[in-house]
Amino acid sequence: MGTHEAPHMTPAYSRSSVLLAEGAVVLMALIWGINYSVIKYGTNAMQPVAFNGVRVAMAALALLIIALAWGGTVPSRRDMVTLLALGVLGNGIYQLLFAEGIARTRAGEAALVVGGSPALIALLGRAAGVETTSRRGIAGIALSIFGVALIVLARANAGTGPHGGSLV
C-alpha cells in the first residue's frame, strides 16, 4: 500500500521554507513576549497615550512601506472606510486600553491576563452558542482563568502597586 497526497492537500514544502517559517514564528513570539516589558518601560518614561501614539504611528508607517513594496490592488473607498473603522476599534481602542493597563500593573501580570483571554473568549463563545466546548474543556478553561485571577488578586489583596509601593 503506497501513500499519496489527496488532491486537496498542499504540496510538500522544502526544508529551508519550513525552517524560515519556524524561525519567523519564534521571532514573532520573542517580539510579542518582549512587548510587555517594552510597554512597561515606555509608559514609565512618558504618558501611556503619548507612548502608544508613537508606537501606532511607527507601526502604521512600517505597514505602509510593506504594503507599497508588496504591491497589489488598492482597496475600494468603501473597503477603506470599513478598514479604518476596524482599525480604530481593533487597534486604536485596544492599544489605548492595553498601554493604560500595563502602566497600572506589572508586565508579567498583564501578560498572564492577555494570555488567558482566549480561554475567556471560548467561555463567552460557548455561552453565546457560537462555540462548542466539552465539559472537560470548560473545566480546564475555568482553572486557567482561576489561576490568573489568583495571581493578580494576590497582589491586589496584599495592597501593593505595580512598583511594589502601597496602593493606599
Side-chain angles (χ1 to χ4, degrees):
M1 258 196 228
T3 61
H4 61 85
E5 278 191 69
H8 66 279
M9 300 293 285
T10 57
Y13 293 99
S14 70
R15 181 162 173 75
S16 62
S17 65
V18 170
L19 288 175
L20 180 62
E22 290 174 346
V25 169
V26 168
L27 180 61
M28 183 270 319
L30 180 65
I31 291 169
W32 195 356
I34 292 171
N35 189 37
Y36 295 95
S37 296
V38 170
I39 292 173
K40 186 65 180 175
Y41 176 80
T43 58
N44 282 333
M46 62 177 55
Q47 291 296 319
V49 174
F51 177 76
N52 224 36
V54 172
R55 285 181 67 232
V56 170
M58 288 172 49
L61 180 61
L63 289 173
L64 178 62
I65 292 168
I66 291 168
L68 292 173
W70 204 283
T73 60
V74 176
S76 69
R77 184 175 181 89
R78 181 174 182 242
D79 287 344
M80 289 290 265
V81 170
T82 301
L83 289 170
L84 182 62
L86 290 171
V88 167
L89 177 63
N91 287 304
I93 294 171
Y94 169 80
Q95 286 296 326
L96 176 66
L97 296 174
F98 182 67
E100 289 287 344
I102 290 179
R104 289 168 172 70
T105 190
R106 293 183 175 131
E109 290 171 355
L112 279 173
V113 170
V114 172
S117 64
L120 180 60
I121 296 303
L123 287 180
L124 293 173
R126 165 108 191 226
V130 296
E131 286 285 332
T132 57
T133 309
S134 69
R135 289 181 190 210
R136 188 174 181 179
I138 290 173
I141 290 169
L143 281 173
S144 171
I145 293 170
F146 182 70
V148 170
L150 282 178
I151 292 168
V152 173
L153 292 174
R155 182 179 60 90
N157 287 337
T160 58
H163 307 290
S166 175
L167 287 174
V168 189

Short mmCIF file of all heavy atoms in Angstrom, two decimals, residues 58-129:
data_model
loop_
_atom_site.label_atom_id
_atom_site.label_comp_id
_atom_site.label_asym_id
_atom_site.label_seq_id
_atom_site.Cartn_x
_atom_site.Cartn_y
_atom_site.Cartn_z
N MET A 58 4.54 54.53 14.32
CA MET A 58 5.67 53.77 13.76
C MET A 58 5.18 52.50 13.05
O MET A 58 5.66 52.15 11.98
CB MET A 58 6.68 53.42 14.86
CG MET A 58 7.46 54.63 15.34
SD MET A 58 8.50 54.32 16.80
CE MET A 58 9.39 52.87 16.38
N ALA A 59 4.23 51.82 13.68
CA ALA A 59 3.68 50.60 13.08
C ALA A 59 2.95 50.92 11.78
O ALA A 59 3.08 50.19 10.79
CB ALA A 59 2.74 49.90 14.07
N ALA A 60 2.17 52.00 11.77
CA ALA A 60 1.44 52.39 10.56
C ALA A 60 2.41 52.70 9.43
O ALA A 60 2.19 52.28 8.27
CB ALA A 60 0.54 53.58 10.84
N LEU A 61 3.49 53.41 9.73
CA LEU A 61 4.49 53.73 8.71
C LEU A 61 5.15 52.46 8.17
O LEU A 61 5.31 52.29 6.97
CB LEU A 61 5.53 54.69 9.28
CG LEU A 61 6.64 55.12 8.33
CD1 LEU A 61 6.06 55.86 7.13
CD2 LEU A 61 7.65 55.99 9.06
N ALA A 62 5.53 51.56 9.08
CA ALA A 62 6.16 50.30 8.66
C ALA A 62 5.21 49.49 7.78
O ALA A 62 5.61 48.95 6.74
CB ALA A 62 6.59 49.49 9.88
N LEU A 63 3.94 49.41 8.16
CA LEU A 63 2.97 48.65 7.37
C LEU A 63 2.70 49.31 6.02
O LEU A 63 2.50 48.61 5.02
CB LEU A 63 1.67 48.46 8.15
CG LEU A 63 1.77 47.49 9.32
CD1 LEU A 63 0.47 47.49 10.13
CD2 LEU A 63 2.08 46.08 8.84
N LEU A 64 2.69 50.62 5.98
CA LEU A 64 2.52 51.33 4.71
C LEU A 64 3.67 51.02 3.76
O LEU A 64 3.45 50.73 2.57
CB LEU A 64 2.39 52.83 4.95
CG LEU A 64 2.24 53.70 3.69
CD1 LEU A 64 0.95 53.34 2.95
CD2 LEU A 64 2.27 55.17 4.05
N ILE A 65 4.89 51.04 4.27
CA ILE A 65 6.06 50.73 3.45
C ILE A 65 5.98 49.30 2.93
O ILE A 65 6.23 49.03 1.76
CB ILE A 65 7.37 50.98 4.24
CG1 ILE A 65 7.54 52.48 4.48
CG2 ILE A 65 8.57 50.38 3.53
CD1 ILE A 65 8.63 52.84 5.48
N ILE A 66 5.60 48.36 3.81
CA ILE A 66 5.47 46.96 3.40
C ILE A 66 4.38 46.82 2.35
O ILE A 66 4.56 46.13 1.34
CB ILE A 66 5.17 46.06 4.62
CG1 ILE A 66 6.41 45.99 5.52
CG2 ILE A 66 4.74 44.66 4.18
CD1 ILE A 66 6.16 45.37 6.89
N ALA A 67 3.24 47.48 2.54
CA ALA A 67 2.13 47.39 1.58
C ALA A 67 2.54 47.96 0.23
O ALA A 67 2.21 47.37 -0.82
CB ALA A 67 0.91 48.13 2.12
N LEU A 68 3.25 49.08 0.21
CA LEU A 68 3.69 49.67 -1.05
C LEU A 68 4.70 48.77 -1.76
O LEU A 68 4.67 48.61 -2.98
CB LEU A 68 4.28 51.06 -0.82
CG LEU A 68 3.28 52.13 -0.38
CD1 LEU A 68 4.01 53.42 -0.02
CD2 LEU A 68 2.24 52.37 -1.45
N ALA A 69 5.61 48.17 -0.99
CA ALA A 69 6.60 47.27 -1.58
C ALA A 69 5.95 45.98 -2.08
O ALA A 69 6.36 45.43 -3.10
CB ALA A 69 7.68 46.95 -0.55
N TRP A 70 4.93 45.51 -1.37
CA TRP A 70 4.27 44.25 -1.71
C TRP A 70 3.45 44.40 -2.99
O TRP A 70 3.31 43.47 -3.77
CB TRP A 70 3.36 43.83 -0.55
CG TRP A 70 3.07 42.38 -0.50
CD1 TRP A 70 2.20 41.69 -1.29
CD2 TRP A 70 3.64 41.42 0.37
NE1 TRP A 70 2.17 40.38 -0.95
CE2 TRP A 70 3.05 40.17 0.08
CE3 TRP A 70 4.57 41.49 1.39
CZ2 TRP A 70 3.38 39.01 0.77
CZ3 TRP A 70 4.89 40.34 2.06
CH2 TRP A 70 4.31 39.12 1.74
N GLY A 71 2.86 45.56 -3.17
CA GLY A 71 2.03 45.80 -4.35
C GLY A 71 0.61 45.31 -4.15
O GLY A 71 0.14 45.16 -3.03
N GLY A 72 -0.07 45.07 -5.26
CA GLY A 72 -1.44 44.60 -5.19
C GLY A 72 -2.42 45.72 -5.49
O GLY A 72 -2.03 46.85 -5.79
N THR A 73 -3.69 45.39 -5.40
CA THR A 73 -4.72 46.37 -5.72
C THR A 73 -5.02 47.24 -4.50
O THR A 73 -4.92 46.79 -3.36
CB THR A 73 -6.02 45.67 -6.17
OG1 THR A 73 -6.47 44.84 -5.10
CG2 THR A 73 -5.79 44.83 -7.40
N VAL A 74 -5.41 48.45 -4.78
CA VAL A 74 -5.80 49.38 -3.72
C VAL A 74 -7.26 49.09 -3.37
O VAL A 74 -8.10 48.97 -4.26
CB VAL A 74 -5.63 50.84 -4.20
CG1 VAL A 74 -6.11 51.82 -3.15
CG2 VAL A 74 -4.18 51.11 -4.56
N PRO A 75 -7.56 48.98 -2.07
CA PRO A 75 -8.95 48.72 -1.68
C PRO A 75 -9.88 49.84 -2.14
O PRO A 75 -9.46 51.00 -2.28
CB PRO A 75 -8.90 48.67 -0.15
CG PRO A 75 -7.47 48.45 0.19
CD PRO A 75 -6.67 49.04 -0.92
N SER A 76 -11.15 49.50 -2.34
CA SER A 76 -12.15 50.50 -2.74
C SER A 76 -12.35 51.49 -1.60
O SER A 76 -11.97 51.24 -0.45
CB SER A 76 -13.47 49.82 -3.08
OG SER A 76 -14.06 49.28 -1.89
N ARG A 77 -12.98 52.61 -1.90
CA ARG A 77 -13.24 53.63 -0.89
C ARG A 77 -14.09 53.05 0.25
O ARG A 77 -13.83 53.31 1.42
CB ARG A 77 -13.93 54.83 -1.54
CG ARG A 77 -14.16 55.99 -0.61
CD ARG A 77 -14.75 57.18 -1.38
NE ARG A 77 -14.97 58.31 -0.53
CZ ARG A 77 -14.07 59.26 -0.28
NH1 ARG A 77 -12.88 59.20 -0.84
NH2 ARG A 77 -14.36 60.27 0.51
N ARG A 78 -15.10 52.26 -0.09
CA ARG A 78 -15.97 51.64 0.91
C ARG A 78 -15.15 50.70 1.81
O ARG A 78 -15.32 50.70 3.03
CB ARG A 78 -17.09 50.87 0.22
CG ARG A 78 -18.05 50.22 1.18
CD ARG A 78 -19.23 49.60 0.43
NE ARG A 78 -20.15 49.02 1.36
CZ ARG A 78 -20.45 47.73 1.41
NH1 ARG A 78 -19.93 46.90 0.55
NH2 ARG A 78 -21.32 47.28 2.29
N ASP A 79 -14.28 49.89 1.20
CA ASP A 79 -13.43 48.99 1.98
C ASP A 79 -12.46 49.77 2.86
O ASP A 79 -12.17 49.36 3.99
CB ASP A 79 -12.67 48.04 1.07
CG ASP A 79 -13.56 46.97 0.47
OD1 ASP A 79 -14.68 46.76 0.97
OD2 ASP A 79 -13.12 46.33 -0.52
N MET A 80 -11.97 50.90 2.35
CA MET A 80 -11.04 51.73 3.13
C MET A 80 -11.73 52.27 4.39
O MET A 80 -11.14 52.29 5.47
CB MET A 80 -10.50 52.89 2.30
CG MET A 80 -9.54 52.45 1.22
SD MET A 80 -7.99 51.90 1.90
CE MET A 80 -7.05 53.38 1.79
N VAL A 81 -12.99 52.71 4.26
CA VAL A 81 -13.74 53.22 5.41
C VAL A 81 -13.95 52.09 6.42
O VAL A 81 -13.78 52.28 7.63
CB VAL A 81 -15.07 53.84 4.95
CG1 VAL A 81 -15.97 54.15 6.15
CG2 VAL A 81 -14.82 55.10 4.14
N THR A 82 -14.32 50.90 5.93
CA THR A 82 -14.52 49.75 6.81
C THR A 82 -13.22 49.39 7.52
O THR A 82 -13.21 49.15 8.73
CB THR A 82 -15.04 48.54 6.01
OG1 THR A 82 -16.27 48.91 5.38
CG2 THR A 82 -15.27 47.34 6.91
N LEU A 83 -12.12 49.35 6.76
CA LEU A 83 -10.82 49.03 7.36
C LEU A 83 -10.41 50.07 8.39
O LEU A 83 -9.86 49.73 9.44
CB LEU A 83 -9.75 48.91 6.27
CG LEU A 83 -9.85 47.67 5.39
CD1 LEU A 83 -8.88 47.79 4.21
CD2 LEU A 83 -9.59 46.41 6.18
N LEU A 84 -10.68 51.32 8.11
CA LEU A 84 -10.36 52.39 9.06
C LEU A 84 -11.16 52.22 10.35
O LEU A 84 -10.60 52.32 11.46
CB LEU A 84 -10.63 53.76 8.44
CG LEU A 84 -10.29 54.97 9.31
CD1 LEU A 84 -8.79 55.00 9.63
CD2 LEU A 84 -10.70 56.25 8.63
N ALA A 85 -12.45 51.93 10.23
CA ALA A 85 -13.29 51.73 11.42
C ALA A 85 -12.81 50.53 12.22
O ALA A 85 -12.72 50.59 13.45
CB ALA A 85 -14.75 51.55 11.01
N LEU A 86 -12.49 49.43 11.54
CA LEU A 86 -11.98 48.25 12.23
C LEU A 86 -10.63 48.53 12.88
O LEU A 86 -10.34 48.06 13.98
CB LEU A 86 -11.87 47.06 11.27
CG LEU A 86 -13.20 46.47 10.81
CD1 LEU A 86 -12.96 45.45 9.69
CD2 LEU A 86 -13.93 45.82 11.97
N GLY A 87 -9.81 49.32 12.21
CA GLY A 87 -8.51 49.68 12.76
C GLY A 87 -8.63 50.52 14.02
O GLY A 87 -7.90 50.32 14.99
N VAL A 88 -9.55 51.47 14.01
CA VAL A 88 -9.77 52.31 15.19
C VAL A 88 -10.23 51.45 16.37
O VAL A 88 -9.74 51.59 17.49
CB VAL A 88 -10.79 53.43 14.89
CG1 VAL A 88 -11.27 54.10 16.17
CG2 VAL A 88 -10.19 54.45 13.95
N LEU A 89 -11.15 50.54 16.10
CA LEU A 89 -11.66 49.68 17.17
C LEU A 89 -10.62 48.64 17.59
O LEU A 89 -10.27 48.53 18.75
CB LEU A 89 -12.94 48.96 16.71
CG LEU A 89 -13.54 47.96 17.69
CD1 LEU A 89 -13.99 48.66 18.96
CD2 LEU A 89 -14.70 47.23 17.05
N GLY A 90 -10.11 47.88 16.62
CA GLY A 90 -9.23 46.75 16.93
C GLY A 90 -7.83 47.13 17.32
O GLY A 90 -7.16 46.41 18.06
N ASN A 91 -7.36 48.27 16.84
CA ASN A 91 -6.02 48.69 17.19
C ASN A 91 -6.02 49.93 18.08
O ASN A 91 -5.35 49.94 19.09
CB ASN A 91 -5.18 48.96 15.93
CG ASN A 91 -4.81 47.68 15.24
OD1 ASN A 91 -4.21 46.81 15.84
ND2 ASN A 91 -5.19 47.55 13.99
N GLY A 92 -6.75 50.95 17.68
CA GLY A 92 -6.75 52.19 18.45
C GLY A 92 -7.25 52.02 19.86
O GLY A 92 -6.52 52.28 20.83
N ILE A 93 -8.48 51.59 20.01
CA ILE A 93 -9.06 51.45 21.34
C ILE A 93 -8.37 50.35 22.13
O ILE A 93 -8.02 50.53 23.30
CB ILE A 93 -10.59 51.21 21.24
CG1 ILE A 93 -11.25 52.47 20.66
CG2 ILE A 93 -11.18 50.86 22.60
CD1 ILE A 93 -12.71 52.31 20.31
N TYR A 94 -8.13 49.22 21.48
CA TYR A 94 -7.46 48.11 22.16
C TYR A 94 -6.09 48.54 22.66
O TYR A 94 -5.74 48.31 23.81
CB TYR A 94 -7.32 46.91 21.22
CG TYR A 94 -6.41 45.85 21.77
CD1 TYR A 94 -6.86 44.94 22.73
CD2 TYR A 94 -5.07 45.77 21.37
CE1 TYR A 94 -6.01 43.98 23.26
CE2 TYR A 94 -4.22 44.81 21.90
CZ TYR A 94 -4.70 43.92 22.84
OH TYR A 94 -3.86 42.99 23.36
N GLN A 95 -5.29 49.16 21.80
CA GLN A 95 -3.94 49.55 22.18
C GLN A 95 -3.94 50.61 23.28
O GLN A 95 -3.08 50.59 24.16
CB GLN A 95 -3.15 50.06 20.97
CG GLN A 95 -2.72 48.98 20.02
CD GLN A 95 -1.75 48.00 20.67
OE1 GLN A 95 -0.93 48.36 21.52
NE2 GLN A 95 -1.83 46.75 20.27
N LEU A 96 -4.90 51.52 23.24
CA LEU A 96 -5.01 52.52 24.29
C LEU A 96 -5.26 51.85 25.64
O LEU A 96 -4.57 52.12 26.62
CB LEU A 96 -6.13 53.50 23.98
CG LEU A 96 -6.42 54.55 25.05
CD1 LEU A 96 -5.23 55.49 25.19
CD2 LEU A 96 -7.67 55.32 24.72
N LEU A 97 -6.23 50.95 25.67
CA LEU A 97 -6.54 50.24 26.92
C LEU A 97 -5.38 49.32 27.35
O LEU A 97 -5.09 49.20 28.53
CB LEU A 97 -7.83 49.44 26.75
CG LEU A 97 -9.09 50.28 26.51
CD1 LEU A 97 -10.28 49.38 26.22
CD2 LEU A 97 -9.37 51.21 27.66
N PHE A 98 -4.73 48.71 26.36
CA PHE A 98 -3.59 47.82 26.64
C PHE A 98 -2.46 48.59 27.32
O PHE A 98 -1.95 48.18 28.37
CB PHE A 98 -3.13 47.21 25.31
CG PHE A 98 -2.01 46.24 25.41
CD1 PHE A 98 -2.17 45.01 26.05
CD2 PHE A 98 -0.78 46.51 24.83
CE1 PHE A 98 -1.14 44.09 26.11
CE2 PHE A 98 0.25 45.60 24.89
CZ PHE A 98 0.08 44.39 25.53
N ALA A 99 -2.06 49.72 26.75
CA ALA A 99 -0.97 50.51 27.33
C ALA A 99 -1.35 51.08 28.69
O ALA A 99 -0.53 51.09 29.62
CB ALA A 99 -0.57 51.63 26.37
N GLU A 100 -2.58 51.56 28.82
CA GLU A 100 -3.03 52.09 30.11
C GLU A 100 -3.04 50.97 31.16
O GLU A 100 -2.67 51.19 32.32
CB GLU A 100 -4.43 52.71 29.99
CG GLU A 100 -4.46 54.01 29.23
CD GLU A 100 -3.87 55.19 29.99
OE1 GLU A 100 -3.69 55.10 31.23
OE2 GLU A 100 -3.58 56.19 29.34
N GLY A 101 -3.46 49.78 30.78
CA GLY A 101 -3.48 48.65 31.72
C GLY A 101 -2.09 48.25 32.16
O GLY A 101 -1.85 48.03 33.35
N ILE A 102 -1.16 48.17 31.22
CA ILE A 102 0.21 47.79 31.56
C ILE A 102 0.86 48.86 32.43
O ILE A 102 1.64 48.56 33.34
CB ILE A 102 1.04 47.49 30.30
CG1 ILE A 102 0.55 46.18 29.68
CG2 ILE A 102 2.53 47.39 30.63
CD1 ILE A 102 1.26 45.77 28.43
N ALA A 103 0.53 50.13 32.19
CA ALA A 103 1.09 51.21 33.01
C ALA A 103 0.65 51.09 34.47
O ALA A 103 1.34 51.57 35.36
CB ALA A 103 0.66 52.57 32.44
N ARG A 104 -0.46 50.41 34.71
CA ARG A 104 -1.02 50.33 36.06
C ARG A 104 -0.82 48.98 36.74
O ARG A 104 -1.35 48.75 37.81
CB ARG A 104 -2.50 50.67 36.00
CG ARG A 104 -2.74 52.14 35.72
CD ARG A 104 -4.17 52.44 35.37
NE ARG A 104 -4.42 53.88 35.29
CZ ARG A 104 -3.96 54.68 34.36
NH1 ARG A 104 -3.19 54.22 33.41
NH2 ARG A 104 -4.24 55.96 34.37
N THR A 105 -0.08 48.09 36.12
CA THR A 105 0.18 46.78 36.71
C THR A 105 1.57 46.33 36.33
O THR A 105 2.29 47.02 35.64
CB THR A 105 -0.90 45.75 36.28
OG1 THR A 105 -0.74 44.58 37.06
CG2 THR A 105 -0.78 45.40 34.81
N ARG A 106 1.94 45.15 36.76
CA ARG A 106 3.24 44.57 36.39
C ARG A 106 3.13 43.95 35.00
O ARG A 106 2.08 43.42 34.62
CB ARG A 106 3.64 43.51 37.41
CG ARG A 106 3.93 44.10 38.77
CD ARG A 106 4.40 43.02 39.72
NE ARG A 106 4.78 43.63 40.98
CZ ARG A 106 4.36 43.21 42.15
NH1 ARG A 106 3.56 42.18 42.24
NH2 ARG A 106 4.75 43.81 43.25
N ALA A 107 4.23 43.99 34.27
CA ALA A 107 4.24 43.45 32.91
C ALA A 107 3.90 41.96 32.89
O ALA A 107 3.16 41.50 32.02
CB ALA A 107 5.60 43.70 32.25
N GLY A 108 4.41 41.21 33.85
CA GLY A 108 4.13 39.77 33.90
C GLY A 108 2.66 39.47 34.16
O GLY A 108 2.10 38.54 33.56
N GLU A 109 2.04 40.26 35.02
CA GLU A 109 0.62 40.07 35.28
C GLU A 109 -0.21 40.42 34.05
O GLU A 109 -1.19 39.74 33.73
CB GLU A 109 0.18 40.90 36.49
CG GLU A 109 0.75 40.37 37.78
CD GLU A 109 0.52 41.29 38.96
OE1 GLU A 109 -0.02 42.40 38.76
OE2 GLU A 109 0.87 40.89 40.07
N ALA A 110 0.17 41.47 33.35
CA ALA A 110 -0.54 41.84 32.13
C ALA A 110 -0.41 40.74 31.09
O ALA A 110 -1.38 40.39 30.40
CB ALA A 110 0.01 43.16 31.58
N ALA A 111 0.78 40.15 30.98
CA ALA A 111 0.98 39.05 30.04
C ALA A 111 0.10 37.86 30.40
O ALA A 111 -0.46 37.20 29.51
CB ALA A 111 2.45 38.64 30.01
N LEU A 112 -0.03 37.56 31.68
CA LEU A 112 -0.89 36.46 32.11
C LEU A 112 -2.35 36.73 31.76
O LEU A 112 -3.07 35.85 31.29
CB LEU A 112 -0.77 36.24 33.61
CG LEU A 112 0.42 35.42 34.08
CD1 LEU A 112 0.49 35.45 35.60
CD2 LEU A 112 0.31 34.00 33.59
N VAL A 113 -2.81 37.95 32.02
CA VAL A 113 -4.20 38.29 31.74
C VAL A 113 -4.48 38.21 30.24
O VAL A 113 -5.45 37.60 29.81
CB VAL A 113 -4.55 39.69 32.30
CG1 VAL A 113 -5.91 40.16 31.79
CG2 VAL A 113 -4.52 39.68 33.82
N VAL A 114 -3.62 38.80 29.44
CA VAL A 114 -3.81 38.75 27.98
C VAL A 114 -3.67 37.32 27.47
O VAL A 114 -4.43 36.88 26.60
CB VAL A 114 -2.84 39.72 27.25
CG1 VAL A 114 -2.90 39.53 25.76
CG2 VAL A 114 -3.17 41.15 27.63
N GLY A 115 -2.73 36.58 28.03
CA GLY A 115 -2.56 35.17 27.64
C GLY A 115 -3.75 34.31 27.99
O GLY A 115 -4.04 33.33 27.31
N GLY A 116 -4.47 34.69 29.03
CA GLY A 116 -5.66 33.93 29.42
C GLY A 116 -6.92 34.35 28.69
O GLY A 116 -7.97 33.71 28.81
N SER A 117 -6.84 35.40 27.88
CA SER A 117 -8.05 35.89 27.22
C SER A 117 -8.67 34.90 26.23
O SER A 117 -9.89 34.86 26.12
CB SER A 117 -7.79 37.25 26.56
OG SER A 117 -6.85 37.14 25.53
N PRO A 118 -7.90 34.07 25.51
CA PRO A 118 -8.57 33.08 24.64
C PRO A 118 -9.47 32.13 25.42
O PRO A 118 -10.54 31.73 24.93
CB PRO A 118 -7.41 32.33 23.98
CG PRO A 118 -6.29 33.30 23.98
CD PRO A 118 -6.46 34.07 25.27
N ALA A 119 -9.08 31.80 26.64
CA ALA A 119 -9.92 30.93 27.47
C ALA A 119 -11.23 31.63 27.81
O ALA A 119 -12.31 31.03 27.72
CB ALA A 119 -9.17 30.53 28.74
N LEU A 120 -11.15 32.88 28.17
CA LEU A 120 -12.36 33.64 28.49
C LEU A 120 -13.25 33.79 27.25
O LEU A 120 -14.47 33.63 27.34
CB LEU A 120 -11.98 35.02 29.05
CG LEU A 120 -13.14 35.93 29.43
CD1 LEU A 120 -14.00 35.29 30.51
CD2 LEU A 120 -12.61 37.27 29.90
N ILE A 121 -12.64 34.05 26.11
CA ILE A 121 -13.41 34.19 24.87
C ILE A 121 -14.09 32.87 24.52
O ILE A 121 -15.23 32.86 24.05
CB ILE A 121 -12.49 34.66 23.71
CG1 ILE A 121 -11.93 36.06 24.00
CG2 ILE A 121 -13.22 34.64 22.37
CD1 ILE A 121 -12.98 37.12 24.24
N ALA A 122 -13.42 31.74 24.76
CA ALA A 122 -14.04 30.44 24.49
C ALA A 122 -15.27 30.24 25.36
O ALA A 122 -16.30 29.74 24.89
CB ALA A 122 -13.03 29.31 24.74
N LEU A 123 -15.19 30.64 26.63
CA LEU A 123 -16.35 30.52 27.52
C LEU A 123 -17.49 31.45 27.08
O LEU A 123 -18.66 31.05 27.08
CB LEU A 123 -15.97 30.84 28.96
CG LEU A 123 -15.15 29.79 29.70
CD1 LEU A 123 -14.86 30.24 31.12
CD2 LEU A 123 -15.85 28.44 29.70
N LEU A 124 -17.14 32.67 26.70
CA LEU A 124 -18.16 33.60 26.22
C LEU A 124 -18.79 33.10 24.92
O LEU A 124 -20.00 33.23 24.72
CB LEU A 124 -17.57 35.00 26.02
CG LEU A 124 -17.11 35.73 27.29
CD1 LEU A 124 -16.39 37.02 26.94
CD2 LEU A 124 -18.29 36.00 28.20
N GLY A 125 -17.97 32.52 24.05
CA GLY A 125 -18.49 31.94 22.81
C GLY A 125 -19.43 30.78 23.07
O GLY A 125 -20.46 30.63 22.39
N ARG A 126 -19.09 29.98 24.04
CA ARG A 126 -19.97 28.86 24.41
C ARG A 126 -21.29 29.39 24.96
O ARG A 126 -22.36 28.91 24.61
CB ARG A 126 -19.27 27.97 25.43
CG ARG A 126 -20.19 27.00 26.14
CD ARG A 126 -20.01 25.61 25.72
NE ARG A 126 -21.09 24.77 26.24
CZ ARG A 126 -20.92 23.62 26.81
NH1 ARG A 126 -19.70 23.13 26.92
NH2 ARG A 126 -21.94 22.93 27.23
N ALA A 127 -21.21 30.40 25.83
CA ALA A 127 -22.43 30.98 26.40
C ALA A 127 -23.30 31.61 25.31
O ALA A 127 -24.53 31.55 25.40
CB ALA A 127 -22.06 32.02 27.46
N ALA A 128 -22.67 32.17 24.28
CA ALA A 128 -23.42 32.79 23.18
C ALA A 128 -23.91 31.75 22.16
O ALA A 128 -24.66 32.09 21.25
CB ALA A 128 -22.56 33.83 22.49
N GLY A 129 -23.43 30.52 22.30
CA GLY A 129 -23.86 29.47 21.39
C GLY A 129 -23.10 29.39 20.08
O GLY A 129 -23.53 28.72 19.15
#
